Amino acid sequence: VLTLTEYLVESTLENMSNVHDNSHSYILSEEDAGRISALIVGAISSCSESGAGMSPAHDRCAILSYALARILTFSKLQSYCIVLQHNPSTILEIYTQAATLLFDLASWPVFSSQDRYTNLHEAKRGTISIAARSGLSSLFGYLNSFDRSDSFVQSFASKIFSSAPIIIAVSQLVHLISIEDSDVAYILQQIALLHHDGIQLIAKSGVT
């Protein structure tokens, strides 16, 4: 999935930058980008069925998170509106399920030095956490390109920031500051930038 997404995005960017006639060259359209992102988000959402603890599904989720980050970064660059192309209520539910899992994985600690991990299992969790944070940051960054009063952004923020599992995950993310997690501050910043509900949630978790 990641390789295919990279290929489609890179091919499009290359063809767009070609000063010669590229009328017959492939360009990833807004509609296609919307379909790809919906499929990736749906696949991430399905990984949540693996249950508690680390599982092979979380490895898949990590790869999918990077693919999501790539398509969302590209869509933001092209000013594509990809989250509202299909049934808004269905898309909202899928994005919420995916975000819930990504928050859970993102709350696993990440250290700048491998020596900080006590074993390979923890190091692998850190790698998965980095991927999940990449997906979440790209999602929030993409949604930040919308007006904050946009109905989808309002509904999404209200839904995720009132979710019990996400409230717990954000509290865990805030706690990671005290153990010198190498990049937790960035994901907390993205949460705050998305919506005032995110700011309130972080404040309640101990950051002022």
Side-chain angles (χ1 to χ4, degrees):
V1 175
L2 177 58
T3 302
L4 178 59
T5 303
E6 284 281 4
Y7 173 77
L8 293 174
V9 169
E10 291 300 327
S11 296
T12 295
L13 293 175
E14 182 178 347
N15 291 333
M16 283 180 165
S17 64
N18 192 344
V19 295
H20 302 293
D21 179 26
N22 60 2
S23 58
H24 299 293
S25 300
Y26 175 75
I27 300 295
L28 184 61
S29 68
E30 182 176 68
E31 183 178 1
D32 287 342
R35 287 185 180 130
I36 291 170
S37 65
L39 288 171
I40 293 173
V41 171
I44 291 174
S45 178
S46 69
C47 291
S48 62
E49 299 172 359
S50 60
M54 193 166 64
S55 74
H58 294 150
D59 291 331
R60 295 194 297 273
C61 185
I63 296 171
L64 290 164
S65 295
Y66 283 126
L68 179 64
R70 194 68 180 98
I71 195 67
L72 289 177
T73 301
F74 168 79
S75 297
K76 182 179 179 181
L77 179 66
Q78 300 303 319
S79 299
Y80 283 175
C81 181
I82 61 174
V83 296
L84 304 177
Q85 293 181 13
H86 307 285
N87 187 317
S89 60
T90 301
I91 291 296
L92 178 62
E93 188 60 34
I94 293 173
Y95 270 77
T96 300
Q97 290 175 2
T100 300
L101 175 59
L102 291 178
F103 263 108
D104 181 38
L105 302 184
S107 66
W108 293 347
V110 174
F111 300 117
S112 56
S113 172
Q114 290 293 316
D115 296 338
R116 294 288 306 278
Y117 296 107
T118 57
N119 52 52
L120 290 177
H121 179 77
E122 280 195 3
K124 186 173 182 179
R125 281 165 62 100
T127 300
I128 292 173
S129 181
I130 291 173
R133 293 178 190 184
S134 175
L136 276 178
S137 296
S138 297
L139 175 57
F140 292 162
Y142 174 74
L143 293 178
N144 272 327
S145 65
F146 288 71
D147 190 299
R148 284 198 176 189
S149 62
D150 180 88
S151 60
F152 183 88
V153 175
Q154 290 277 3
S155 298
F156 179 73
S158 175
K159 200 170 180 66
I160 66 170
F161 293 137
S162 62
S163 164
I166 290 179
I167 290 173
I168 292 171
V170 171
S171 178
Q172 291 172 334
L173 284 168
V174 170
H175 169 71
L176 293 179
I177 296 174
S178 64
I179 61 172
E180 300 179 350
D181 184 302
S182 60
D183 71 349
V184 71
Y186 181 73
I187 185 62
L188 290 173
Q189 180 186 49
Q190 294 302 304
I191 293 170
L193 288 173
L194 178 64
H195 196 268
H196 60 80
D197 287 348
I199 298 175
Q200 293 178 352
L201 179 55
I202 291 173
K204 289 178 182 177
S205 299
V207 175
T208 58

